[in-house]
Amino acid sequence: MTKDKKQKPIDSLEALLHRMMNRIRQSLELPAILSGTVAEVRIFLGTDRVKVYRFDVDASGEVVAESVNRDRLPSLLGQHFPAEDIPFVARELFLKARQRSIVNVAAQKIGLSPLDCPETTEVLDENDIRFRLVDPCHVEYLTSMGVQSSLVVPILHRDQLWGLLVSHHSSPREVSERELQVVQLVADQLSIAIAQNTLLEQTRAQADQEATINRVAKLLHSMTEMQLQQALELTVSALQAAGGRIYIAPQNPGEAAQVFSCGDWGMGSEEWGVREQGSRGAEAEEQRITMPHDATCFPTQGDRNAVASPCPMPHAPILFEEHPGWQEWLNIEATVEKGKLVWAIADLYQAALQSDLAEAFFDAGIRSLLVICLQYRQQILGYLSIFRHEIDTETLWARRVNRNDPRNQRPVQSFEVWRELKQSQAQEWKTAEIELAQALGSHFAMAIHQYELYQQVHALNADLQQDIEERKQAEKKISALNAKLEQRVQERTVELQRANERLLREMSKRERALRARQQTQASLERLSRQSELILNSAGEGIYGLNSQGKITFVNPAAARMLLSGVKELKNQFMHEIVNHSQPDDTPYCWEKNPICATLETGAVQHISDDIFYRCDGSKFPVEYVSTPIREQGDIVGAVVIFKDITERQIVEQMKDEFVSVVSHELRTPLTSIRSALGLLAHGSLNDQPEKSQRMLEIAFDNTNRLVRLINDILDIERINSGKATMYKQICDASNLMSQAVDEMQAMAEKAEIKLELIPLSVQLWADSDRIIQTLTNLLSNAIKFSSPGFTVSLSAEVETRKEINTDVTKGISSSSNPCHSNILFQVKDQGRGIPEDKLETIFDRFQQVDASNSRHQGGTGLGLAICRSIIQQHGGQIWAESTLGKGSTFYFTLPISN
């Protein structure tokens, strides 16, 4: 029997998936999605607890979402489980085979249902569940948790085992294949939600990072003043650090280093000789570094325009950046990336730092250190250091492995909560934090370099001013040349100032141009990726041509339709590949091709009736649009978008055939009515009253046939289009069968046919009028095509089928039911039978075994088609079996109401 394997999902599944997809669309926040999902799944399964278990890096796990039914099982939300609770072999099967497991503690069995073969990765039957005895330790584990039945489905993300969707019940419970399918669909939806949430978090982190970089850059590259202290404070805050420090190395002999710091930076002023320059309220203090006796200090940020002054300090200690052991340690310490002077020290306890330096950091509570060398064009300007304190961590364990505790000896006796507190833990530097620090370090280096240039210009101006004063003293002695010399000095001063201004403007312009060029390049790359994604995801074929008609680009959809690869089509002459032909399959030359006209004149061509040839020689009808590509007013190519219209032509042909058949069926009774009325209208039968009466009866019968035909056509169209409302309710099958037999009893007695009824009392969820209509149609056909004296029987029975086998020889015409119990109706006659080649087509419109006899019996050829539509709307199936000369049996099934 041929049966369609499509199944109609149950209403609860449709509602569950609909709510889940709405929740994912309305909120991308993963905790809200997980919380709502476990509640929906628990209500759907009717179990005591449904949870989402997420794996950590060390293979331990945490319950991140949970729904419990009225405290029938204890809550595990937020609790961690050791890696030993889920062995490595089980985790591998969850990942490689997507294995689901169903445990029934009372039955001492476990059902395993992998979706993929772990050896070949071949997709397996999702309904294949293999049962075996469950391991005693697994039973002990679940029993200690108060669980008698469980269902576990893995959740995958980016080819990794992200977690598990788990259902627990405090009493024994069987899990149906349908429920397993539903939970698997939910796990698949969760994988999509996890991927979307991951992308959202990455986008947010990138936006925060870009905002921080922009704010720091604005502070550093201000046109009025370089706000180095504020930029440092913002950097420390963005990296969630305890403190930070900028060390600016002296660039010339005799100059002093500069240090800016905030928060806890690890070095005390008394220990390392840092002179504190005062404070600004809650802001961190700015510090000036002392140098040897004859050294000169840079001015602080508050007096950048002041001239540097000597700072005699006979016993000035050094900074930790200038400590000999510091540089030696950095040289042997590994950098985060080859070629970049960036050091991320997660735990100073594990670093080979010199003891006096290490103790100074430890005394201040500094545990983690991030050092970025400030370098501009191969010139080292100083260091940016970020500090972090050690932290305390607390973990809530649902079952922490401790062999010395009798509660954790086999069998497992307790799931008492364990609270693990770890003190003085180091914080790892995340990759995103290191990248942000590197980007900020680049801005610090650039700003410091620009400031050094400004200082050099300032020094030149100071020297120039001194020269002017000396020249003024000389002018007093040489009064004759005073006016002329003063004029030359002033002119030189103006020229130098203009040169300085031009230099500063040129530097600013180059910096802005560089940033604009980088932004433009990033925008072009982003637009290019977007264009490529759009082109690859388009469902229609798209290809581009140059002015000679050769392919410059082609999307995957076009390559698939032409049965070729994208690379093979490029740089080929498109007209020769597709062999453009007219609808009658007549090829035409390139000069007559509409695409050629587009390249020559720029006219947009809309062609709906051409033929393309595939690379294997097969052809298909297409419609396409060719649009010119213009560059500065010239036509440099064209873009062609084409679509395979084979299915559209098939649909139009079917429509024409349907109209032709309907016209023929309408014309036959109309012709008969016209002929009868014509004879009566002309008075040809006025003297023959019996023939006149016969003509009126013929016209009346054909009018009734015409009305039945139109009503049947409208009826089947309304049912198939869903416009006919099915008023379903709980009804008894035996009542429906009895009513149908009662309605057909008069017709059977007239035809001398005996009706036999074998009723079956079963509750159905159906439209009783439509089911009676189906039964009467089948009984009517059986009576019409049976000889007097024979019997037509109507019976029913209950059947349960998990899978529907197909047999092309027995004319099944329906969609398959879900795997539930059905009632099977049978209408059996002892008539002439139906040929085997007609069993498949009799359920189509206007398909009759003997059209002439059917019309004689008053049939329209639509009765079985209407029956099929009604049964399909009820989720059932209908088919026929027949033996010529012995009779036929029509079957149809309906789902039994729950």
Side-chain angles (χ1 to χ4, degrees):
M1 294 185 289
T2 16
K3 297 186 179 179
D4 191 354
K5 291 186 178 180
K6 293 182 180 178
Q7 297 180 345
K8 180 179 179 182
I10 58 178
D11 293 340
S12 57
L13 171 58
E14 291 178 347
L16 175 63
L17 296 180
H18 180 70
R19 287 193 296 271
M20 281 197 60
M21 288 186 288
N22 280 342
R23 183 174 289 109
I24 294 174
R25 286 196 297 268
Q26 294 170 2
S27 173
L28 293 178
E29 300 299 335
L30 187 59
I33 294 174
L34 294 179
S35 178
T37 299
V38 294
E40 294 285 358
V41 174
R42 187 188 62 76
I43 294 173
F44 174 78
L45 294 177
T47 54
D48 293 334
R49 177 171 60 209
V50 173
K51 65 179 182 179
V52 173
Y53 181 87
R54 182 183 64 196
F55 286 101
D56 294 330
V57 178
D58 60 356
S60 65
E62 178 187 2
V63 178
V64 296
E66 181 186 55
S67 176
V68 180
N69 181 21
R70 299 179 182 176
D71 299 329
R72 297 189 64 179
L73 287 175
S75 175
L76 302 177
L77 185 62
Q79 299 183 20
H80 291 70
F81 290 79
E84 293 81 357
D85 282 17
I86 301 179
F88 174 78
V89 175
R91 294 195 300 270
E92 285 293 296
L93 289 176
F94 283 142
L95 173 62
K96 295 181 179 180
R98 293 192 291 163
Q99 178 164 282
R100 294 86 54 88
S101 67
I102 304 169
V103 177
N104 190 324
V105 174
Q108 296 287 306
K109 65 179 181 179
I110 180 172
L112 301 178
S113 176
L115 293 178
D116 300 327
C117 178
E119 291 80 14
T120 64
T121 69
E122 179 181 299
V123 178
L124 304 176
D125 183 6
E126 64 178 356
N127 294 327
D128 183 14
I129 304 177
R130 301 179 181 179
F131 288 91
R132 64 170 175 81
L133 291 178
V134 65
D135 295 334
C137 60
H138 198 167
V139 172
E140 294 168 359
Y141 188 88
L142 293 177
T143 304
S144 298
M145 295 181 73
V147 175
Q148 288 296 309
S149 62
S150 71
L151 167 62
V152 180
V153 177
I155 304 173
L156 305 184
H157 173 55
R158 292 182 178 175
D159 298 327
Q160 297 294 326
L161 180 59
W162 185 90
L164 303 172
L165 180 59
V166 183
S167 171
H168 285 161
H169 202 56
S170 59
S171 59
R173 182 183 184 278
E174 296 290 338
V175 178
S176 67
E177 295 177 357
R178 191 58 175 169
E179 290 175 332
L180 180 60
Q181 293 173 1
V182 172
V183 176
Q184 182 62 55
L185 289 175
V186 171
D188 295 341
Q189 290 295 323
L190 285 180
S191 298
I192 297 173
I194 292 168
Q196 292 179 347
N197 180 262
T198 301
L199 180 60
L200 174 64
E201 291 178 350
Q202 294 174 351
T203 303
R204 287 176 175 171
Q206 183 177 0
D208 293 341
Q209 182 175 352
E210 291 177 354
T212 301
I213 293 173
N214 291 336
R215 292 174 61 192
V216 171
K218 185 177 180 180
L219 292 171
L220 294 176
H221 302 290
S222 174
M223 296 298 294
T224 57
E225 182 181 15
M226 180 178 66
Q227 303 178 40
L228 196 62
Q229 183 69 34
Q230 293 87 334
L232 175 61
E233 294 170 359
L234 181 58
T235 299
V236 171
S237 176
L239 293 174
Q240 299 180 355
R245 171 186 177 99
I246 294 178
Y247 168 81
I248 304 176
Q251 300 300 312
N252 298 308
E255 292 182 349
Q258 285 185 320
V259 172
F260 295 84
S261 65
C262 69
D264 297 334
W265 54 277
M267 298 291 114
S269 59
E270 295 180 359
E271 181 179 358
W272 291 93
V274 178
R275 178 183 295 175
E276 299 181 356
Q277 299 297 324
S279 61
R280 298 170 300 189
E283 296 183 359
E285 299 174 352
E286 180 182 298
Q287 299 156 342
R288 181 181 297 175
I289 307 306
T290 59
M291 290 299 288
H293 178 73
D294 57 347
T296 302
C297 296
F298 279 8
T300 63
Q301 186 176 356
D303 56 351
R304 291 295 185 207
N305 297 324
V307 179
S309 60
C311 296
M313 287 289 291
H315 302 289
I318 61 175
L319 303 167
F320 73 81
E321 290 91 349
E322 298 174 351
H323 192 284
W326 174 263
Q327 192 60 50
E328 292 177 2
W329 175 60
L330 290 182
N331 290 337
I332 63 175
E333 190 72 32
T335 59
V336 297
E337 186 178 347
K338 186 177 181 181
K340 292 186 178 180
L341 299 180
V342 179
W343 296 268
I345 312 302
D347 190 355
L348 284 173
Y349 288 175
Q350 307 298 325
L353 190 61
Q354 192 165 322
S355 59
D356 54 345
L357 285 172
E359 289 177 2
F361 283 114
F362 298 156
D363 291 343
I366 301 301
R367 186 68 178 272
S368 302
L369 178 63
L370 179 62
V371 181
I372 297 97
C373 180
L374 302 180
Q375 186 175 4
Y376 188 85
R377 296 181 179 175
Q378 307 304 320
Q379 180 184 4
I380 295 179
L381 304 175
Y383 293 93
L384 169 63
S385 302
I386 306 297
F387 310 97
R388 277 182 175 171
H389 290 315
E390 55 193 15
I391 61 173
D392 297 336
T393 62
E394 184 180 42
T395 305
L396 193 66
W397 292 94
R399 195 187 80 81
R400 180 64 184 272
V401 175
N402 184 356
R403 300 302 180 188
N404 296 325
D405 194 314
R407 293 176 299 176
N408 287 306
Q409 297 175 1
R410 290 193 56 212
V412 177
Q413 299 174 0
S414 173
F415 276 85
E416 181 180 350
V417 175
W418 296 65
R419 190 177 301 275
E420 180 185 43
L421 177 63
K422 293 184 178 180
Q423 297 180 338
S424 303
Q425 299 296 305
Q427 299 186 62
E428 291 285 345
W429 293 102
K430 299 178 181 178
T431 302
E433 295 173 338
I434 297 174
E435 292 176 351
L436 175 59
Q438 286 182 263
L440 296 177
S442 299
H443 283 281
F444 276 109
M446 187 183 303
I448 293 172
H449 178 72
Q450 292 175 350
Y451 178 73
E452 296 294 343
L453 291 179
Y454 174 79
Q455 291 289 76
Q456 294 175 11
V457 173
H458 184 78
L460 290 175
N461 288 337
D463 294 341
L464 180 60
Q465 187 67 28
Q466 185 176 0
D467 290 343
I468 293 174
E469 293 296 330
E470 292 176 354
R471 289 176 184 276
K472 287 182 179 180
Q473 294 297 328
E475 287 173 359
K476 294 179 182 180
K477 299 179 181 180
I478 311 173
S479 57
L481 299 176
N482 183 53
K484 187 176 181 179
L485 181 59
E486 183 178 356
Q487 182 179 2
R488 290 180 59 189
V489 171
Q490 291 178 352
E491 290 176 353
R492 183 179 178 185
T493 302
V494 172
E495 291 176 358
L496 288 174
Q497 289 177 347
R498 290 177 178 173
N500 291 336
E501 292 175 357
R502 287 196 299 271
L503 177 61
L504 293 174
R505 287 196 298 269
E506 184 65 24
M507 290 175 57
S508 178
K509 185 186 298 183
R510 289 184 178 180
E511 293 295 338
R512 289 196 301 271
L514 177 60
R515 290 195 295 270
R517 185 161 54 251
Q518 291 174 346
Q519 293 175 356
T520 302
Q521 183 177 0
S523 298
L524 289 175
E525 291 176 355
R526 185 166 59 254
L527 290 174
S528 177
R529 289 194 299 269
Q530 291 176 353
S531 300
E532 184 177 356
L533 289 173
I534 292 172
L535 190 65
N536 291 340
S537 61
E540 298 179 343
I542 304 174
Y543 63 86
L545 303 174
N546 60 14
S547 57
Q548 288 77 37
K550 291 186 177 181
I551 299 176
T552 57
F553 66 86
V554 62
N555 73 333
R560 287 195 301 270
M561 282 190 272
L562 296 176
L563 300 182
S564 180
V566 174
K567 295 182 179 180
E568 287 77 4
L569 292 176
K570 285 187 176 180
N571 299 322
Q572 300 294 321
F573 189 49
M574 192 64 190
H575 184 71
E576 295 179 353
I577 292 177
V578 301
N579 192 18
H580 293 81
S581 302
Q582 297 177 357
D584 59 357
D585 208 15
T586 302
Y588 49 85
C589 61
W590 168 247
E591 288 74 14
K592 295 182 180 180
N593 195 317
I595 301 176
C596 179
T598 298
L599 293 174
E600 292 177 353
T601 65
V604 178
Q605 302 288 338
H606 297 266
I607 307 301
S608 60
D609 55 356
D610 264 16
I611 291 178
F612 281 7
Y613 279 80
R614 301 183 180 92
C615 292
D616 63 351
S618 61
K619 61 183 179 180
F620 61 99
V622 297
E623 66 176 14
Y624 63 87
V625 177
S626 62
T627 307
I629 301 175
R630 298 181 184 271
E631 190 173 288
Q632 297 181 351
D634 297 331
I635 301 174
V636 298
V639 175
V640 179
I641 303 175
F642 68 93
K643 181 190 300 182
D644 187 347
I645 60 173
T646 302
E647 292 185 3
R648 183 196 303 173
Q649 291 185 352
I650 292 174
V651 171
E652 291 177 353
Q653 182 180 356
M654 293 173 61
K655 185 190 301 181
D656 294 340
E657 291 176 355
F658 177 73
V659 171
S660 175
V661 172
V662 171
S663 300
H664 174 74
E665 294 294 332
L666 292 175
R667 188 182 298 113
T668 300
L670 284 174
T671 301
S672 178
I673 294 171
R674 181 181 179 184
S675 299
L677 294 179
L679 292 174
L680 294 173
H682 289 87
S684 302
L685 302 176
N686 289 340
D687 54 349
Q688 302 180 39
E690 293 181 357
K691 288 188 177 181
S692 297
Q693 182 63 28
R694 180 57 182 162
M695 288 297 103
L696 287 175
E697 291 176 354
I698 292 173
F700 181 74
D701 292 341
N702 280 279
T703 302
N704 289 336
R705 170 176 167 77
L706 189 60
V707 171
R708 286 196 305 274
L709 180 61
I710 293 174
N711 288 338
D712 286 349
I713 293 174
L714 294 176
D715 201 9
I716 194 171
E717 288 301 323
R718 282 195 299 268
I719 295 174
N720 288 341
S721 63
K723 295 180 181 179
T725 304
M726 294 289 177
Y727 298 98
K728 295 183 180 180
Q729 58 185 349
I730 296 178
C731 49
D732 190 277
S734 62
N735 293 337
L736 302 181
M737 297 168 69
S738 299
Q739 292 181 45
V741 170
D742 291 342
E743 289 185 16
M744 300 309 300
Q745 191 64 47
M747 179 179 178
E749 292 176 355
K750 183 178 180 180
E752 299 180 5
I753 300 298
K754 179 183 178 183
L755 287 181
E756 181 181 16
L757 174 62
I758 307 175
L760 176 65
S761 180
V762 175
Q763 297 297 315
L764 299 176
W765 179 256
D767 186 330
S768 58
D769 291 339
R770 294 294 185 180
I771 300 304
I772 292 174
Q773 180 183 0
T774 301
L775 290 171
T776 55
N777 276 345
L778 296 178
L779 290 172
S780 174
N781 286 345
I783 293 171
K784 290 177 183 178
F785 296 101
S786 296
S787 300
F790 285 100
T791 301
V792 172
S793 65
L794 171 60
S795 61
E797 63 184 37
V798 176
E799 64 169 11
T800 301
R801 296 185 179 180
K802 293 186 178 180
E803 183 179 358
I804 298 176
N805 298 321
T806 58
D807 188 349
V808 297
T809 64
K810 295 188 177 180
I812 299 174
S813 180
S814 172
S815 60
S816 61
N817 287 326
C819 299
H820 296 296
S821 297
N822 299 327
I823 180 171
L824 176 66
F825 292 91
Q826 302 180 35
V827 177
K828 185 175 182 180
D829 63 53
Q830 298 173 317
R832 67 189 70 176
I834 303 172
E836 185 176 332
D837 59 343
K838 295 291 186 178
L839 290 174
E840 181 75 22
T841 61
I842 57 175
F843 292 95
D844 295 335
R845 302 177 185 181
F846 303 110
Q847 296 296 323
Q848 300 167 330
V849 178
D850 187 347
S852 60
N853 189 46
S854 296
R855 291 193 184 94
H856 177 72
Q857 298 288 349
T860 62
L862 295 174
L864 291 179
I866 293 174
C867 293
R868 179 181 63 179
S869 298
I870 292 174
I871 297 305
Q872 287 179 342
Q873 290 293 320
H874 282 77
Q877 53 189 341
I878 185 170
W879 70 96
E881 298 177 358
S882 180
T883 303
L884 289 176
K886 294 184 179 181
S888 305
T889 303
F890 282 79
Y891 301 90
F892 71 89
T893 63
L894 292 176
I896 294 178
S897 173
N898 291 327

